[in-house]
Amino acid sequence: PAGIPVEPVNEDDPGLYDDLSLAEHNAVRVYMESRETLALTPWDEAGFSDNYINSIELHVPVKSEALAFLDGGGDKPERQALVTVHAGGKTPPVVEEYVVGPLPNPARHAPYSNPARRSPIPWTSRAIDAKEYALIFPIIENATAAVHDILKESYGYTYHNCSGHCLVDIDTVPKGYRSGQRRSWVLFHRGGVGGVTYFVGFMIQITHESVDPSEWHVSRVYYNKQYFDSVEQLITGYADGSVEKDTPHADIQDDEILYPTFVRRGKPQPASPSRGPTLTEPGGRRYAVRGRHVEFMGWSFDWRLTTSQSMQLYDVRMNGERIAYELSSQEATSFYSGYNPGMLNNLFVDSYWDVGRSFELVRGIDCPKTATFFNTLQQRSTKEPRLMQNAVCVFELNAGIPLRRHFDSDFAGGFNFYGGMADHVLVLRHINTVYNYDYVYDYIFHQNGVIEVRVGLTGFILTSQDKNSYGYPLYGGNIGNIHQHAFNYKVDLDILGAQNRFETVDIVLENITDPQRPDLRHIQTRIQRNLRRTEREAAVQYDFNRPKYYNFYNEEETNRFAVNRGYRVQLNGIAKTLLPRQDWAPMRGVAWQDYQLAVTRRKESEPSSSSIYNQNDLYEPLVDFQTFIDDDENIVDEDLVAWVTLSTHHIPHSEDFPTTATAGTQMQFFLRPFNYYDEDPSVGSSNAVLITPGERSGSVRVERFGTPTGPACVSEQSPFRYNGTWRGPH
Amino acid sequence: PAGIPVEPVNEDDPGLYDDLSLAEHNAVRVYMESRETLALTPWDEAGFSDNYINSIELHVPVKSEALAFLDGGGDKPERQALVTVHAGGKTPPVVEEYVVGPLPNPARHAPYSNPARRSPIPWTSRAIDAKEYALIFPIIENATAAVHDILKESYGYTYHNCSGHCLVDIDTVPKGYRSGQRRSWVLFHRGGVGGVTYFVGFMIQITHESVDPSEWHVSRVYYNKQYFDSVEQLITGYADGSVEKDTPHADIQDDEILYPTFVRRGKPQPASPSRGPTLTEPGGRRYAVRGRHVEFMGWSFDWRLTTSQSMQLYDVRMNGERIAYELSSQEATSFYSGYNPGMLNNLFVDSYWDVGRSFELVRGIDCPKTATFFNTLQQRSTKEPRLMQNAVCVFELNAGIPLRRHFDSDFAGGFNFYGGMADHVLVLRHINTVYNYDYVYDYIFHQNGVIEVRVGLTGFILTSQDKNSYGYPLYGGNIGNIHQHAFNYKVDLDILGAQNRFETVDIVLENITDPQRPDLRHIQTRIQRNLRRTEREAAVQYDFNRPKYYNFYNEEETNRFAVNRGYRVQLNGIAKTLLPRQDWAPMRGVAWQDYQLAVTRRKESEPSSSSIYNQNDLYEPLVDFQTFIDDDENIVDEDLVAWVTLSTHHIPHSEDFPTTATAGTQMQFFLRPFNYYDEDPSVGSSNAVLITPGERSGSVRVERFGTPTGPACVSEQSPFRYNGTWRGPH
Ligand SMILES: [Ca+2]
Ligand SMILES: [Ca+2]
Ligand SMILES: [Ca+2]
Ligand SMILES: [Ca+2]
Ligand SMILES: [Cu+2]
Ligand SMILES: [Cu+2]
């Protein structure tokens, strides 16, 4: 059976959080480009010094209006778009954001104003786009043309007019070491499959800070661990022998290097090719999909996939009760260490990167064969939105472990009963590929009320010519530089309403008179509920030696045992950020990394912990998360938001080739009911099994609560289609 | 297709680690009971004051002999059994252990001697067995008969001659607060399904320390938070009104209480019954099973399931190279807190418990429908071994996540390639049910050389009448007492031979002159390899603020990049043990709990970190793990063993009913290759997929390396059989 049919998005009556349709994208673009006062040039005709639209996406309704509609029968909030304009034509140039509405027929626009953010958005903090790259490429071309022979002799690879052994350029971030600077180190890695895992020891720094692009220039050159003020200085020194020359590494001289590729090699596994186990759905699809709305075994939620912050879930409910108004990815960072200018400047804040996209997923690999796939539209640095095919999937997974079970022995060779239930979960997945890296983002809904938020690492690592104190040797004489991954999430828990409290339930030691033997002492643990009253009290820097639960609860609502109903946040994948924010200026832009969990009063002016403008101005960031906490507001019986940071330190090793693997690199946090329900809500499941001894010795009664059993021939057929393109929607 | 057939154990030529066959069990028993000097009484006829066999199990060969056979073509070590005798007939009584061999025709026996353990094994430290219980039951009967009316009036439940509302007794551990004591608090919980989740406020302490059972007696009584010296004192006080009476709680007055049961209730999920997704094997079984030997995609290992320490893996290899000589469960503890004598004395050390058995697994719930099941034989406190049907399963799981993948964008709306591979893993599983609790033990083999060792919690929690500082209110007016779970594992890694080193690879901060700008400082992390030279240097007490990798490597062996080949231990499920060993005597018996990871020189005299005799003498334990470390031996280029402790603090909550769920309660550690292989060994897999753009725009080439594709009708039929009995093998 096919199960519950999938209903497409209803474009005539979109959900509150549905991303913009193609028609809405077009209507917004046409509306904005028709406003004479804005003086916008269409993307195709625009140059760096014009005003043009950089991105268009949904502008979500304010929470109070959304709740009035969802809960109070209020009007449906108008749909609006957020349009980003690169106003290179203004003096001085500036980045502008406009809220445009109402959709689908826009009639007004107003600057997006947010008192909690820097204003205006500094021109130098903007994400680099195709118009700016177009002006930088000639500088790279000229420089690499001049050193063509040096590159060829040193590495066997060239950039300018190359064919075969080609180099590819990437630019580092942040673009400077102080607010307002804009200078990029341009690095070069091998072209070809897995080429990103091999960087050569030649780099150039381009200063492109001036509003006049004719002033942009190569300001520094790095070659084989030596610095030069210009390309000419390198060329001269190379010619007169004063420069220490680099030599090609044997490992990289073949244009078809197998090592960093996905070509099968080595001992065949299995001995002869065969298919692995696969998921089938003898009961058909058991989750409902209506547009971006998903329902599964009491769970329901809406989702959208933004261009910059990827996945956002809204209105997450269990059995009709809202658990979280919003559960959303905020930011992903990877901060590298090293001694060469590339690694010294690789502090990646991924929302910035236009390449941070969720590309097409492969059925049977990225998601099980049974999965349901979704296309998305994303518009940034393009004329029109890109159609990202199969960018998101949702599926029911048999996790291969019992969710709960008990064998009740009679202690005499038999049993009283057996009860159990498999862990059938719903998984919402997308995979962000940020240039080299692939992040597997999962939102997993267990039937016992537990939400598991997980991110796994895969994709290529970055390498460089560097010292061994920053990583282990790999191929081509490079090392894999150590770095830290960190991921921030916003969890706007609303436990039976928006007024909640946050407490830590501390596990503390006590040393008491033994109640049964007053002559003895007794040492044990007990629990201590500590209400956190203000934001500073609620900023968690994890301490292994002080175990505690983090609980969000409603003071007015109790379960049948008179305990406040709550949900706890359980952190399973955290790591200390060693870089000291007080001493190290760029950390200000990722202040959330200092807290494994922070709790703040929810504000419309604090929609996210980061922004795409933080990357290039980590020093005076557009969003300074610390300010969310510093006003130290009361958080008792307020609308609270939990900000969760997952993290890991990655020291690359040979087994990171061809890619990092997800086994062992998955980080998680859980949202777990904590006296919220009177009992595990999965007791409602008819997929549980209860076995009791039968009349005859050795016979049993198997209660399946109506679930069919017996043979079911399930066709393994599922249409495999792949396209790989993410061009325009036409 | 059925795939690779399963070969049964070859009893004529058993593997080195195969548990004893039924014939071997019988031969050992007959041999021992025929030795006149031992004066053993057969189990059926034995009383408490006789000498009788308590348990029989395999005695594994010493490692050097095993390796000589496995690696050097030496003789196969003789098979031997370890026989435990409760010598109640000796003066003074004592527990004896004998090594008996050679099997299958035993001809000699000798005391098992271990200089590193206490000797002889104190009689008072032995595990309580059926012979002792037989003498304790009358005492319980007499006491409960005397207070029958009090129990009835107070709780509505009785023990003596009850029918219907019955109580069930359990005894606490350790049995005293000093070495050599033997006194048990006997607690009473409701009978019936889930009755273990409701304890009444009546308890008796029985002192059964004397070698003369006629001296055993009720030494203390507890009722409704009041202590009495005798049952009579309670009865008198109850009659004269000086005792504060307990009153029946409405929640527990129905004999068919639904709350702690597995009966389906509440909102049906799904709306109408249907089957969930299930695993199928279109390629058939892809792992080989020969007796207790398992092979899967380059992995191979042997396993056995002991009565006391459950799962033990031996000779774990990848692509023929041994990674670990032994990977084995050592101990599981749960230490409770509370104010009543039951919870004050519930320091469970589970290997002690004869009830700590791996009972029959249910196909489709405990293990996927495709799993292969194994029976085991276990003999302890019984006349002959018990046949535990389907006690272990092994299966290949499609974990539902890509093991590795990369989408290589061309940054122009297309892609260069996509490469990926699903995470098909082999899982070896058994579930230990220790009275109320069920521990799901998994050993997971990933194709990239990673071993994941995982334990998940399910089963019933324990409750009591107690103060709220020890837990949250639950049904029947009881609370769920806070406790800590801890699990210890032995990991005898042998990285390319038994001589290995252990290092921490520390991630440390550095503050340097910026190499590109001498006027600036640069702060970043670097790695620092710290060889640990002695056992004390290698005893890890986790520090979140000092991130590090734990690496075991071979100083003589390097990968192709001249890096020492190693495996690292990654800890994902650890918790601080707050109870201070220096101040709190019982912690001496679980010294391993203080270390998340400890590394010692391997010794035959230190086969395990615990023993079944530790439970009842935590104060002067038979095995004091701290002594493994205290001699502070050199561990450079020695045969090393890693001892890993997983742990969690459990504050029960309403959703622990009917049982704790595995979602969010899984603890793991990983054994991960760290520059061991030249590259991810899963590059050999033909289950990977490589997709590249085709000739025509939008077309793709899909390389599956010979793996068949297309429709495959897979019957979901798998025989469901369940028995639930674990009686004798006949
Ligand atoms: Ca605030
Ligand atoms: Ca909230
Ligand atoms: Ca030692
Ligand atoms: Ca070893
Ligand atoms: Cu990484
Ligand atoms: Cu527990």
Side-chain angles (χ1 to χ4, degrees), chain B residues 313-427:
Chain B
L313 279 69
Y314 287 96
D315 200 16
V316 180
R317 304 186 193 205
M318 178 65 169
N319 291 335
E321 289 177 337
R322 182 176 301 122
I323 306 297
Y325 177 71
E326 181 184 348
L327 166 57
S328 57
S329 172
Q330 294 295 302
E331 191 58 272
T333 61
S334 47
F335 279 26
Y336 284 76
S337 298
Y339 208 70
N340 65 78
M343 286 298 170
L344 284 164
N345 286 277
N346 278 340
L347 308 179
F348 294 115
V349 180
D350 285 349
S351 68
Y352 162 97
W353 291 92
D354 184 30
V355 296
R357 293 182 188 276
S358 293
F359 294 103
E360 188 170 355
L361 300 167
V362 174
R363 185 184 290 276
I365 305 286
D366 292 328
C367 313
K369 290 187 176 177
T370 51
T372 303
F373 292 86
F374 301 86
N375 300 337
T376 67
L377 282 177
Q378 298 192 327
Q379 182 162 6
R380 184 167 162 192
S381 285
T382 51
K383 177 185 174 186
E384 54 186 1
R386 299 278 192 173
L387 175 68
M388 311 301 285
Q389 300 177 71
N390 294 353
V392 175
C393 72
V394 66
F395 54 93
E396 183 181 357
L397 180 70
N398 183 334
I401 188 171
L403 174 64
R404 51 183 171 82
R405 66 92 76 181
H406 179 63
F407 179 93
D408 210 64
S409 168
D410 69 356
F411 305 111
F415 74 124
N416 298 316
F417 69 91
Y418 165 89
M421 177 179 169
D423 192 18
H424 284 125
V425 298
L426 188 85
V427 182

Side-chain angles (χ1 to χ4, degrees), chain A residues 595-616:
Chain A
Y595 307 103
Q596 287 67 51
L597 171 67
V599 181
T600 64
R601 198 159 156 176
R602 187 189 186 283
K603 289 182 179 166
E604 287 294 333
S605 61
E606 293 170 353
S608 58
S609 60
S610 189
S611 81
I612 65 172
Y613 307 102
N614 277 36
Q615 171 72 87
N616 270 341

